[in-house]
């Protein structure tokens, strides 16, 4: 049986790790290189690093910070934020990332997914998708871009399927409604996407305790769960979460 992955997310703003609720009211919580090294020591399976204001400010990835994080961790490392060209993808991978997450830029220019997958391989191209409930959409969920600030005309399920057809090798599915609330993942949305695409789906937004992870990995059919506040607060360690999941019959790497 494939092991379920636990992934820690570092949202970065102006070179510092930050955390908000429902994409708002972000506060500074630490230095990303030190935090990445600590989560690596705790046994995290992967790290995701999002520059949350790069797209809104129209600039590319912070390569110096990416290479400093990459020098501290020897696990898959995914970077998102401001990656708008094939050159951005190349420079991010050369700086030490194994994968790039395309979110707003993929919506604006879907061919970036195809080009990136063709040159670097599907496994390097992750679709980052921010979705929120919206009864006007066929699936009941709408896609947002620019850090959740701009709504699009895209239906979440349709966009997920299209992105996979274009070449995305993985989807990080972030529920804006659940983000930072610590009330649990958006199970319905996660399961709907996971059942309709052929690539791994990573649930993001809402993890508050190990039970929430168990629920989304089992009922939500996610391949991985992304966490932030749970470990940033010091309430849990990656290892303690994994021990709890194993007791519940969720296969994880210890």
């Amino acid at each position: 049986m494939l092991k379920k992955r636990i992934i820690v997310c570092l949202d970065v703003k102006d070179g510092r790790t930050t955390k908000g609720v429902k994409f708002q009211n972000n506060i500074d919580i630490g230095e990303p290189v030190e935090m990445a090294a600590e989560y690596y020591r705790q046994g995290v399976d992967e790290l995701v690093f999002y520059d949350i204001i790069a797209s809104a400010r129209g600039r590319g990835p912070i390569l110096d910070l990416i290479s400093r994080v990459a020098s501290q961790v020897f696990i898959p490392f995914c970077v998102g934020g401001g990656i708008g060209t094939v050159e951005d993808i190349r420079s991010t991978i050369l700086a030490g990332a194994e994968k790039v997450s395309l979110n707003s830029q993929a919506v604006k220019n879907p061919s970036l997914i195809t080009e990136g997958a063709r040159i670097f391989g599907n496994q390097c191209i992750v679709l980052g998708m921010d979705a929120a409930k919206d009864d006007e959409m066929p699936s009941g969920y709408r896609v947002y871009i620019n850090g959740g600030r701009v709504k699009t005309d895209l239906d979440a399920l349709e966009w997920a399927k299209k992105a996979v057809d274009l070449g995305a090798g993985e989807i990080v599915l972030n529920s804006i409604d659940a983000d930072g609330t610590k009330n649990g993942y958006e199970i319905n949305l996660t399961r709907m996407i996971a059942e309709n695409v052929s690539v791994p789906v990573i649930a993001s937004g809402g993890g508050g305790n190990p039970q929430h992870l168990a629920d989304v990995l089992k009922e939500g059919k996610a391949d991985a769960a992304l966490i932030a506040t749970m470990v940033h607060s010091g309430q849990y360690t990656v290892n303690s979460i994994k021990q709890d999941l194993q007791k519940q019959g969720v296969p994880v790497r210890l």
Side-chain angles (χ1 to χ4, degrees):
M1 186 184 283
L2 276 176
K3 306 273 192 204
K4 301 286 190 178
R5 290 171 288 151
I6 307 303
I7 302 172
V8 169
C9 177
L10 300 175
D11 284 337
V12 177
K13 179 181 180 183
D14 299 323
R16 299 282 295 176
T17 309
T18 181
K19 195 71 197 93
V21 176
K22 299 188 180 182
F23 287 33
Q24 294 176 339
N25 305 319
N26 284 70
I27 56 167
D28 184 309
I29 56 170
E31 203 285 314
V33 180
E34 291 169 11
M35 292 175 74
E38 173 56 26
Y39 295 133
Y40 175 63
R41 281 193 292 274
Q42 288 182 20
V44 75
D45 297 307
E46 294 186 23
L47 272 175
V48 174
F49 174 110
Y50 287 132
D51 187 327
I52 61 170
I53 52 172
S55 285
R57 288 187 179 170
R59 64 159 170 73
I62 312 173
L63 299 175
D64 168 59
L65 190 55
I66 293 164
S67 67
R68 284 193 291 132
V69 171
S71 72
Q72 298 296 314
V73 301
F74 303 95
I75 49 175
F77 172 40
C78 178
V79 173
I83 298 170
T85 66
V86 167
E87 274 313 304
D88 287 338
I89 297 174
R90 181 176 282 112
S91 58
T92 301
I93 290 171
L94 287 173
E98 275 79 17
K99 309 176 188 181
V100 296
S101 176
L102 306 177
N103 190 322
S104 305
Q105 301 297 339
V107 169
K108 294 168 188 173
N109 176 20
S111 66
L112 185 61
I113 299 174
T114 309
E115 277 296 284
R118 183 179 66 79
I119 297 168
F120 305 102
N122 303 66
Q123 78 287 347
C124 288
I125 307 300
V126 178
L127 177 74
M129 180 163 69
D130 300 324
K133 282 191 179 116
D134 189 327
D135 292 338
E136 291 178 12
M137 306 311 278
S139 70
Y141 296 88
R142 184 187 294 272
V143 175
Y144 285 72
I145 58 170
N146 288 8
R149 289 184 286 275
V150 178
K151 75 185 223 179
T152 72
D153 294 329
L154 291 173
D155 176 77
L157 180 56
E158 284 175 27
W159 176 229
K161 289 177 174 173
K162 182 179 177 187
V164 172
D165 288 343
L166 290 169
E170 196 165 69
I171 296 173
V172 173
L173 175 61
N174 195 41
S175 163
I176 295 174
D177 302 308
D179 181 72
T181 63
K182 299 192 281 186
N183 293 330
Y185 296 87
E186 169 64 271
I187 302 279
N188 292 334
L189 172 63
T190 307
R191 184 171 52 231
M192 176 178 64
I193 303 291
E195 286 180 342
N196 283 283
V197 297
S198 56
V199 301
V201 172
I202 298 162
S204 170
N209 61 53
Q211 186 60 52
H212 292 153
L213 279 81
D215 290 344
V216 82
L217 293 168
K218 290 178 176 175
E219 296 168 41
K221 303 197 175 170
D223 296 271
L226 191 140
I227 53 175
T229 310
M230 280 177 74
V231 284
H232 296 340
S233 67
Q235 188 177 3
Y236 297 95
T237 65
V238 174
N239 189 49
S240 73
I241 293 166
K242 286 187 171 186
Q243 298 278 2
D244 199 298
L245 289 172
Q246 190 182 45
K247 283 179 194 155
Q248 296 205 48
V250 178
V252 290
R253 287 186 195 87
L254 289 172

